[in-house]
Amino acid sequence: MPGDDARPPAETAPTRLTLPATVVLLGFTSLFTDIGTEMVFPLLPVFLVGTLGASPTYLGLVEGAANTVASLLKLASGVIADRTARRKPLVVFGYGLASAARPLVALATRPWHVLAVRVTDRVGKGLRSSPRDALIADAAGDRAGRAFGFHQAMDNAGAVLGPLLATLLVSMNFSLRQVFWVAVVPGTIATALVALVREPPPPGSKPTATATTAPAVFDRRLVSYLAILAVFSLGNSSDAFLLLRARSLGLSTGAIPILWSVHNLSRVVWAHFGGNLADRLPRARLVAAGWLVYAAVYVALGAAGAAWEVWALFVVYGVFYGLTEPVEKALVRDLVPASARGRAYGAYNFVVGITALPAGLLTGVLWRACGPAAALDAGAALAGVACAGLLAWDAWRRRTGR
């Protein structure tokens, strides 16, 4: 029935290999945006603390404020996207605002300047994310898994190239401020690409500003799925803790950026693979499999005793992202009518974002009090609970035909 996430068997699966131009352009937009973002972000702590003299606590304030603003705006922009005739203007404005603001950190002379730039950057991200996901879902049709897989792969490719480009510039004696100015180039390209996107007509009627369609969004299926996702997200703390664990197992400071690039390269490959699987296999079960991989990696990292294990586990960690990031977004598409996709993606992005702070606090407290193994095992345990809940949710959907 409509909304079931069981994929068609191989012989009846969609055979079209190309993706719509809208999806391709948004993928390349994300590629260049992430190149610019990842040129700046890894250097920001050094610049803020080392150059401007801010404290580590202030660094936490900057990132906490930025991510909280982004999470709230993702929810709001999803509502707006469903109540306006077009989704594209919000997407273009969001990308343009972030691309224009990000390099201005080069002008910062006080810590609060960095706070203002970082929050403005995240405002752009918050405004664009939910309408963009809805736009991809509108354009993808029966290839939602492949579409979100392609987009996530391009996003991860930017996360590979950005730090490498920044490292190259620093090795050529560019100052941090000069590197930040170079980030103008990929941001400008990204904004130009998203302006070329042609928005497809939405499948189904769009609600008007006075329409009361909110109950369709908060259907029991979506609410229960998001509740299960919140349980997982509470154990899914910042990957910075994994990098800290890698450092404690003997990796040098210089090896950490290379490890991160290797991990993101794994995510590129697995995002494409996971997106393709999402159009052929039950999506909820793929997500559950990804959460199990997550739990296994966390337990293994907690028990690891040698640096070589870290390299292998960070590659395997990319499997988790490939089986979840594009697949979860394709699953959300299954759970709501077309007219409610903006709000659904807004709620999804909000849950993922708003749980980041308590997840980080929980892991940090356990890390300090009980050690890294206990903190990582706790994250694995929450992933296991969420996995069991998701499989039970999927069985309930199939049994009731919802």
Side-chain angles (χ1 to χ4, degrees), residues 37-212:
T37 299
E38 297 298 332
M39 285 178 65
V40 173
F41 179 71
L43 300 175
L44 205 56
V46 176
F47 180 72
L48 189 58
V49 176
T51 303
L52 301 182
S55 67
T57 302
Y58 194 86
L59 175 62
L61 170 65
V62 169
E63 288 307 303
N67 289 322
T68 299
V69 167
S71 297
L72 292 171
L73 284 175
K74 285 175 184 178
L75 184 63
S77 65
V79 173
I80 295 170
D82 283 342
R83 293 186 176 275
T84 56
R86 301 176 64 212
R87 309 192 200 275
K88 178 181 170 180
L90 268 179
V91 179
V92 174
F93 181 75
Y95 275 110
L97 178 63
S99 296
R102 192 181 308 118
L104 295 180
V105 72
L107 299 175
T109 58
R110 297 287 187 275
W112 72 265
H113 296 165
V114 176
L115 174 63
V117 171
R118 185 69 175 148
V119 168
T120 303
D121 180 9
R122 296 297 89 179
V123 166
K125 184 176 179 65
L127 289 175
R128 73 180 184 247
S129 294
S130 299
R132 180 204 61 209
D133 289 344
L135 192 55
I136 292 173
D138 289 344
D142 56 11
R143 293 165 288 172
R146 287 192 64 232
F148 282 114
F150 172 77
H151 187 269
Q152 195 61 54
M154 297 297 279
D155 188 82
N156 293 334
V160 173
L161 297 174
L164 295 179
L165 180 55
T167 301
L168 175 63
L169 293 175
V170 170
S171 71
M172 295 169 60
N173 296 320
F174 278 61
S175 69
L176 294 183
R177 294 182 189 273
Q178 288 172 328
V179 173
F180 297 155
W181 280 123
V182 174
V184 170
V185 177
T188 301
I189 295 173
T191 304
L193 287 173
V194 75
L196 296 176
V197 169
R198 297 183 64 182
E199 181 170 358
S205 59
K206 294 280 285 185
T208 65
T210 58
T212 56

Side-chain angles (χ1 to χ4, degrees), residues 334-346:
D334 295 337
L335 300 178
V336 295
S339 61
R341 285 174 184 159
R343 282 165 288 159
Y345 284 115

Side-chain angles (χ1 to χ4, degrees), residues 319-337:
V319 179
F320 150 68
Y321 280 104
L323 293 179
T324 55
E325 286 181 323
V327 185
E328 286 173 358
K329 290 183 178 180
L331 178 57
V332 169
R333 180 187 183 276
D334 295 337
L335 300 178
V336 295

